[in-house]
């Protein structure tokens, strides 16, 4: 056991990674290509051009370049809040009485409160480089919308955020944060798009959904001059940007002679998990490492553990390209009693392929267990985690306790994706004892699977 | 101009300060002693013993020891979230077009969101060392209550927080945060104390006040076995603990060969300002430095710029020892239209003496100017500041623009005391254009001065 590690493993500015790592370049079994929803042929750059920024499209389609340079204009922004702290969880180890060494990468110290800023900065920079003047996006819980608002303020771009109406009502402070950064917030569904109008005609009192907000944001982007759409997870260029998380961990670990045996990450659309594991998984794919990777998902939205590996749409309105992924079907909607985040129906295609090839394990956890772990962690390590992050905490603790049982001195790394400042209503629900666990029945899952396209 | 400074000036674990600096030890004109409110004689350790922890009392009364070792049990906690980032504001410099170098010390990356945790950790540690099992305190805006809740969870102490009722209603998430850390929240005034009951009898519908919450917390502490009271600002032992802020800055500056010409700090009770300037002011007192120190206070609560230098009570209920300070009178209550924090009527005695001796300057700023600066800073540097912190930002920007006018390449350091995550309602007020500025009339100030005791 290494007890000489500093509590916080720092990197100097010179030591900070200057390139992202493209995990797909190291895979023998590449993820299946994205398909055009009309032709069912692999999507081309031209297909994607009306929607996304040029460099993001190039990165999305690039399966071979191992390392991609981070432009100076992005590195400069990263330096303002990175490296994110990599912390040795001495207090947690002591409290658990485990022989395991536990480390966590804390992505919540920037104002947006999560890792989402890593890709928001990149996408805003590229948009500016393309000569665009505005961007559109959607947000549910608000982490991604906050990150994009910050990035657009920094890179001087207008931003329209379609925020799920019911989320905006439940989280007025998230909305205020984005507006303070200068973003225009439109509650979705809205009258500003045809897709929004259609939904409102059918159901004037709907609280909206992420799927609808995506449709509105894309429609707005393609119908506005010098405007494109940005997405905060699921896509491979987002994972590329997020590889900065894992690269910082790897660089610091190498500096201190540390090799992780187990890496644990929360998995929604996969952007944090994919970024965290990138350099470690690339070594595993090259036979240089035997690291165990565990994806943790909510039992109420179990795309890995109970989903199907199939082509599916990214949005519930079924307008996006088709992605081969583990999915519950774009029509699947987790129970409204689920407060713990990670509500997305599918999973990034790269991670899906790795899971299919048994290079990643997955576990589903119920939300009272997640909040138990969150509060335990907050009291011991001092940081109040986002519910999303607490999925990884829960399983990291489980693994550390397993080490206690077996006496093994394993090294565990987990991703602490963000802070829970804007999730206090979920904590209030937990504190009051009103939080209930929920696992979808097989019948409920079948309803979701029925929404899968026939390809 | 030094353009080779990294954006974030880091200290390794070995370089981190291991001792606090006691600024009073360097002063020829010491602050006047605290007086027992009954006898009007200097307060002794025995007088303070029923209320405070032993080590805190010793530190409060110690005017001669220059450096005081930080116990390992506190250093260990500090290492989990410190050093706080010291950031070169390259983006702000560029946006302002100033030749000045601007640095800020960002104390908001811990979960409590502010510098308050530095003293909370120390006070909780000493309480545990004294064999106490519980602590009491009060909180208004909630930063101090949050910090104490975290510290008591870590050091395994029970905590009762008397939270001003109207604050708790306006900030339900602050309350939830403290409860998540295990603190017992009591809305003040309450039926749990005689002082609370008296106020409720007179005025059953009162929203409470900080003064009343202090009285309740002290009464509860002295009537509970193995329990003491803790305070988050104003007192000299709190400033001692906060000297870690300035010491980290000084150590990093020395490492990079940087000497600040101007230091700017927000000033409420004085804990952040006093901590930030400690090592720099000690050099100034020794004739080794000519640094200009600017305290920034709200125009609505201008204790330095319009207050009197007199003995006054720390609380509005007039139960605490008397402190010689710049004060508006314990009966002064800032306008309810004031959303920008720093509402305390008085100022720490050490800072008051330094101001009296013209070693510190002071400026009062109106709140729309503060929020203008806050939003400008958020968009440029990416960090959403607490309204309190924005006082320092405003004046740092003013000083940088003055450098632009004169062409002087001064080095400016300011204290970014915390983040605005829990202050979004104030930002919403600002965003909507509903925020009004307020300066008390001379007549209103006279009303406050009438509450000053005749000593």
């Amino acid at each position: 056991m290494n007890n000489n590690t500093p509590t916080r493993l720092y990197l100097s500015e010179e030591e900070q990674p200057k390139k992202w790592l493209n995990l797909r370049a190291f895979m023998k079994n590449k993820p299946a290509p994205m398909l055009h929803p009309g032709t069912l042929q692999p999507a081309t750059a031209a297909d994607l051009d009306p929607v996304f920024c040029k460099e993001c499209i190039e990165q999305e389609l690039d399966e071979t370049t191992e390392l991609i340079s981070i432009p100076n204009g992005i590195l400069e922004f990263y330096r303002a809040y990175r490296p994110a702290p990599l912390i040795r969880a001495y207090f947690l180890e002591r409290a658990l009485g485990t022989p395991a060494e536990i480390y966590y990468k804390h992505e919540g110290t920037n104002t947006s409160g999560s890792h989402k800023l890593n890709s928001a900065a990149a996408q805003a920079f590229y948009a500016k480089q393309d000569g665009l003047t505005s961007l559109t996006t959607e947000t549910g819980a608000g982490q991604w919308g906050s990150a994009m608002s910050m990035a657009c303020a920094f890179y001087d771009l207008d931003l329209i955020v379609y925020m799920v109406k019911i989320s905006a009502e439940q989280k007025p402070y998230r909305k205020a944060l984005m507006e303070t950064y200068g973003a225009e917030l439109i509650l979705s569904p809205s009258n500003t798009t045809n897709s929004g109008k259609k939904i409102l005609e059918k159901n004037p009192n709907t609280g909206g959904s992420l799927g609808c907000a995506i449709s509105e944001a894309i429609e707005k982007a393609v119908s506005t001059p010098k405007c494109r759409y940005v997405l905060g997870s699921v896509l491979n260029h987002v994972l590329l940007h997020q590889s900065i998380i894992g690269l910082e961990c790897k660089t610091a670990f190498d500096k201190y002679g540390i090799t992780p045996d187990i890496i644990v990450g929360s998995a929604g659309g996969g952007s944090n998990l994919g970024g965290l594991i990138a350099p470690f998984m690339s070594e595993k794919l090259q036979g240089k490492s035997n690291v165990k990777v565990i994806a943790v998902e909510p039992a109420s939205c179990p795309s890995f553990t109970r989903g199907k590996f199939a082509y599916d749409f990214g949005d519930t309105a079924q307008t996006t390209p088709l992605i081969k992924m583990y999915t519950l079907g774009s029509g699947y909607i987790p129970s409204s009693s689920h407060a713990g985040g990670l509500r997305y129906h599918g999973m990034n295609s790269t991670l899906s392929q790795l899971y299919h090839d048994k290079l990643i394990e997955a576990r589903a956890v119920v939300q009272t267990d997640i909040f138990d772990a969150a509060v335990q962690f907050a009291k011991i390590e001092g940081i109040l985690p986002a519910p999303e992050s607490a999925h990884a905490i829960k399983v990291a603790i489980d693994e550390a306790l397993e080490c206690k049982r077996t006496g093994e001195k394993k090294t565990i790394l987990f991703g602490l994706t963000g802070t829970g400042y804007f999730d206090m209503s979920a904590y209030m629900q937990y504190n009051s004892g009103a939080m209930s666990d929920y696992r979808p029945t097989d019948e409920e899952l079948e309803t979701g699977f029925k929404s899968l396209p026939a390809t």
Side-chain angles (χ1 to χ4, degrees), chain A:
Chain A
M1 180 145 184
N2 180 357
N3 274 328
N4 297 319
T5 318
T7 305
R8 308 214 295 178
L9 285 67
Y10 197 73
L11 297 177
S12 70
E13 207 157 274
E14 300 75 46
E15 293 168 324
Q16 287 173 42
K18 309 279 185 294
K19 294 177 179 185
W20 291 306
L21 187 146
N22 185 10
L23 189 50
R24 285 168 296 167
F26 297 88
M27 294 166 71
K28 239 184 283 180
N29 295 339
K30 309 276 185 202
M34 193 185 267
L35 301 183
H36 187 286
T39 65
L40 297 186
Q41 293 302 306
T44 64
D47 292 337
L48 301 172
D49 182 69
V51 179
F52 295 107
C53 306
K54 288 193 197 330
E55 189 73 27
C56 293
I57 295 170
E58 198 166 303
Q59 292 171 352
E60 187 64 32
L61 299 177
D62 184 343
E63 295 187 334
T64 53
T65 312
E66 296 184 351
L67 296 170
I68 294 179
S69 287
I70 308 174
N72 281 332
I74 299 171
L75 280 177
E76 174 187 74
F77 188 83
Y78 279 179
R79 278 198 290 269
Y81 72 99
R82 305 199 68 82
L86 175 61
I87 303 174
R88 171 80 183 266
Y90 277 117
F91 305 146
L92 184 62
E93 291 173 18
R94 189 168 65 194
L96 297 175
T98 178
E101 281 180 40
I102 309 174
Y103 298 87
Y104 57 97
K105 184 70 167 171
H106 179 15
E107 290 287 332
T109 58
N110 71 77
T111 283
S112 79
S114 84
H115 68 290
K116 297 274 181 181
L117 192 57
N118 303 329
S119 185
Q123 295 193 54
F125 172 83
Y126 288 129
K128 192 75 184 176
Q129 183 177 271
D130 282 357
L132 304 179
T133 54
S134 68
L135 291 171
T136 72
T137 196
E138 76 291 323
T139 202
Q143 285 186 341
W144 172 246
S146 303
M148 274 311 304
S149 301
M150 285 178 64
C152 285
F154 184 79
Y155 291 106
D156 191 22
L157 288 158
D158 291 337
L159 176 69
I160 296 177
V161 181
Y162 285 89
M163 187 170 192
V164 178
K165 191 188 278 176
I166 191 155
S167 293
E169 286 164 3
Q170 288 168 350
K171 299 192 170 189
Y173 293 162
R174 269 285 183 203
K175 181 168 172 287
L177 180 70
M178 293 182 260
E179 288 175 336
T180 299
Y181 276 99
E184 181 185 349
L185 269 280
I186 297 178
L187 302 198
S188 172
S190 75
N191 280 316
T192 66
T193 63
N194 291 324
S195 47
K197 281 177 198 162
K198 267 188 206 163
I199 291 166
L200 284 175
E201 272 167 29
K202 275 191 209 161
N203 188 355
N205 298 318
T206 177
S209 71
L210 204 55
C212 170
I214 293 176
S215 306
E216 289 205 272
I218 294 177
E219 183 184 328
K220 183 75 179 177
V222 299
S223 61
T224 305
K226 295 194 178 182
C227 180
R228 291 293 184 281
Y229 165 76
V230 289
L231 185 68
S233 190
V234 185
L235 298 178
N236 285 314
H237 68 275
V238 179
L239 263 74
L240 175 74
H241 306 152
Q242 295 297 356
S243 69
I244 192 74
I245 302 170
L247 288 162
E248 284 180 2
C249 293
K250 182 76 168 62
T251 308
F253 276 174
D254 286 350
K255 184 170 158 182
Y256 289 98
I258 297 162
T259 308
D261 300 301
I262 303 170
I263 303 178
V264 185
S266 309
S271 75
N272 178 74
L273 176 69
L276 177 68
I277 67 172
F280 303 101
M281 182 55 73
S282 83
E283 291 200 335
K284 186 168 178 170
L285 288 163
Q286 297 170 78
K288 296 179 194 166
S289 152
N290 197 27
V291 66
K292 176 162 105 171
V293 171
I294 309 174
V296 192
E297 60 186 14
S300 63
C301 197
S303 35
F304 268 143
T305 52
R306 296 176 71 192
K308 292 196 172 169
F309 190 39
Y311 267 108
D312 194 8
F313 293 99
D315 64 333
T316 47
Q318 306 203 330
T319 61
T320 69
L322 293 167
I323 298 170
K324 180 87 177 282
M325 58 182 172
Y326 278 86
T327 176
L328 300 165
S330 62
Y332 179 77
I333 294 169
S335 160
S336 63
S337 76
H338 174 62
L342 306 177
R343 300 173 71 92
Y344 191 66
H345 66 277
M347 184 58 63
N348 165 266
S349 64
T350 302
L351 296 175
S352 291
Q353 187 63 47
L354 291 169
Y355 180 68
H356 188 70
D357 293 340
K358 303 201 185 326
L359 289 156
I360 293 178
E361 301 175 20
R363 286 188 208 161
V365 287
V366 295
Q367 65 179 355
T368 53
D369 286 352
I370 294 160
F371 278 85
D372 285 349
V375 172
Q376 183 183 9
F377 183 78
K379 289 182 178 175
I380 292 170
E381 286 284 327
I383 300 166
L384 186 85
E388 291 85 352
S389 320
H391 289 72
I393 296 172
K394 161 67 183 152
V395 169
I397 290 174
D398 286 349
E399 290 294 308
L401 291 174
E402 177 63 13
C403 287
K404 184 179 183 179
R405 204 184 58 77
T406 62
E408 287 178 292
K409 299 181 180 182
K410 291 191 177 165
T411 299
I412 301 168
L413 166 67
F414 72 88
L416 186 74
T417 59
T419 51
Y421 298 119
F422 289 97
D423 304 290
M424 291 315 302
S425 56
Y427 277 95
M428 285 162 83
Q429 198 183 331
Y430 171 79
N431 290 341
S432 71
M435 183 165 275
S436 68
D437 288 334
Y438 164 79
R439 290 177 189 271
T441 62
D442 290 340
E443 290 69 31
E444 285 169 312
L445 290 186
E446 276 309 318
T447 309
F449 293 143
K450 276 182 195 151
S451 67
L452 285 172
T455 50

